[in-house]
Amino acid sequence: MTSNLFDLTGRVAIVTGGYGGIGLGMARGLAEAGAAVVIADRNSANSAQAKAELEKSGRPVLALAADVTDKTSVTKMVSATLAQFSRIDILVNNAGISIAAPPEEMTLADWQKVIDVNMTAPFICAQAVYPAMKSAGAGKIINIASVLATLGAGGAANYAASKGGILQLTRSLAAAWAIDNIQSNAILPGWIDTELTQRARERRPELHDRILSRTPANRWGTPRDLAGAAVFLASAASDFINGAALTVDGGFSIQG
Ligand code: NDP
């Protein structure tokens, strides 16, 4: 074992939805800690910029196109990673979407899209990396949930349900695969400044100040704020932590 508990040198991490936002913030942290990083998104337009940014760490970076809701596409993502690096040590299930509407107006299609990306896709990706992790005798799965995994969301029941679901998926994978030395843990971000929340703030101009006033840290989070939690849960420092939920929200969810 390395003397630095957080050292990821020689490890290979896949970060879904890693071309921007929280995914890129965590990918940067993992690369700085020594990991080779694979980022995968549907839209390859931003891949060159994200790849160039990550390569500043000096670590190898692979940018792939993948739709995480499509099992064939995920199988290709895993094969391409193994072809390039011969191993997968860390999977970060970060890709996610939000489609807001009150429950009485939400279409079944919008319910299903959010469940597919936020809850079913992490299951597909975890299943796809399992054989490589099992045969290597170790692995780390990090699922990006949300503080809305445990709080209700009147305007986004699909999103809150999907994030509650990924939390239970995390615990179930932890219970099933602990015997294979694979740890599965969840990160619950609070309100982080990304494209996803910029869209929410455009729809609801009062949102920005409402979040500030409820957050003891008195600021919105940044993608960089998630890097430390990702490195911790990807590293030997968390080897006996399994099925846990780590909240990263500046104190948002402790307020009564
Ligand atoms: P962004 O919208 O900035 O990034 C989401 C990423 O997911 C995009 O790069 C998107 O790329 C990718 N993605 C979406 N659908 C798919 C798909 N089917 N296959 C592959 N990639 C896909 O969002 P954030 O960075 O804010 O969010 C990242 C994660 O963090 C999400 O799971 C979100 O729910 C969660 N989260 C965010 C919070 C916040 O305040 N921002 C708070 C709590 C949780 P593309 O569309 O090109 O495929």
Side-chain angles (χ1 to χ4, degrees):
M1 190 166 89
T2 137
S3 59
N4 177 352
L5 278 174
F6 300 94
D7 185 13
L8 299 179
T9 303
R11 310 280 168 86
V12 175
I14 297 178
V15 182
T16 68
Y19 291 179
I22 291 175
L24 184 55
M26 292 187 295
R28 201 184 294 126
L30 296 170
E32 285 168 6
V37 177
V38 179
I39 48 175
D41 264 81
R42 283 168 311 175
N43 176 0
S44 57
N46 300 325
S47 66
Q49 198 184 338
K51 189 169 185 289
E53 187 180 327
L54 290 171
E55 279 170 343
K56 286 184 198 151
S57 66
R59 308 297 167 183
V61 178
L62 179 63
L64 297 173
D67 179 348
V68 289
T69 63
D70 176 353
K71 195 170 173 177
T72 307
S73 182
V74 169
T75 304
K76 282 188 193 152
M77 172 182 85
V78 167
S79 307
T81 302
L82 290 172
Q84 176 99 3
F85 297 116
S86 307
R87 56 190 294 155
I88 300 170
D89 304 280
I90 301 151
L91 167 67
V92 184
N93 277 314
N94 163 78
I97 59 169
S98 168
I99 306 175
E104 66 277 17
E105 290 171 18
M106 187 174 290
T107 64
L108 193 51
D110 285 349
W111 168 272
Q112 196 60 54
K113 265 186 230 161
V114 170
I115 297 290
D116 284 350
V117 179
N118 294 6
M119 194 178 84
T120 308
F123 172 67
I124 295 172
C125 293
Q127 254 192 345
V129 299
Y130 174 71
M133 289 183 175
K134 182 179 162 67
S135 68
K140 300 279 188 180
I141 296 175
I142 303 170
N143 290 328
I144 308 307
S146 164
V147 290
L148 296 180
T150 57
L151 304 171
N158 50 359
Y159 187 84
S162 71
K163 294 303 186 180
I166 196 177
L167 194 51
Q168 282 298 80
L169 172 66
T170 304
R171 293 175 177 138
S172 303
L173 296 180
W177 295 344
I179 195 72
D180 299 311
N181 192 28
I182 298 169
Q183 290 83 48
S184 303
N185 292 291
I187 296 176
L188 278 57
W191 291 87
I192 313 297
D193 185 10
T194 66
E195 271 183 31
L196 189 136
T197 50
Q198 272 158 20
R199 286 194 296 273
R201 276 178 281 181
E202 280 160 22
R203 276 195 318 275
R204 298 159 56 199
E206 83 297 348
L207 183 66
H208 181 83
D209 288 343
R210 195 163 67 72
I211 298 306
L212 271 191
S213 69
R214 204 188 142 169
T215 304
N218 197 33
R219 67 173 176 86
W220 280 60
T222 66
R224 181 76 184 162
D225 285 318
L226 279 303
V231 170
F232 171 56
L233 293 177
S235 69
S238 59
D239 276 355
F240 201 53
I241 298 177
N242 210 358
L246 179 53
T247 302
V248 182
D249 70 348
F252 177 87
S253 53
I254 53 152
Q255 291 277 55

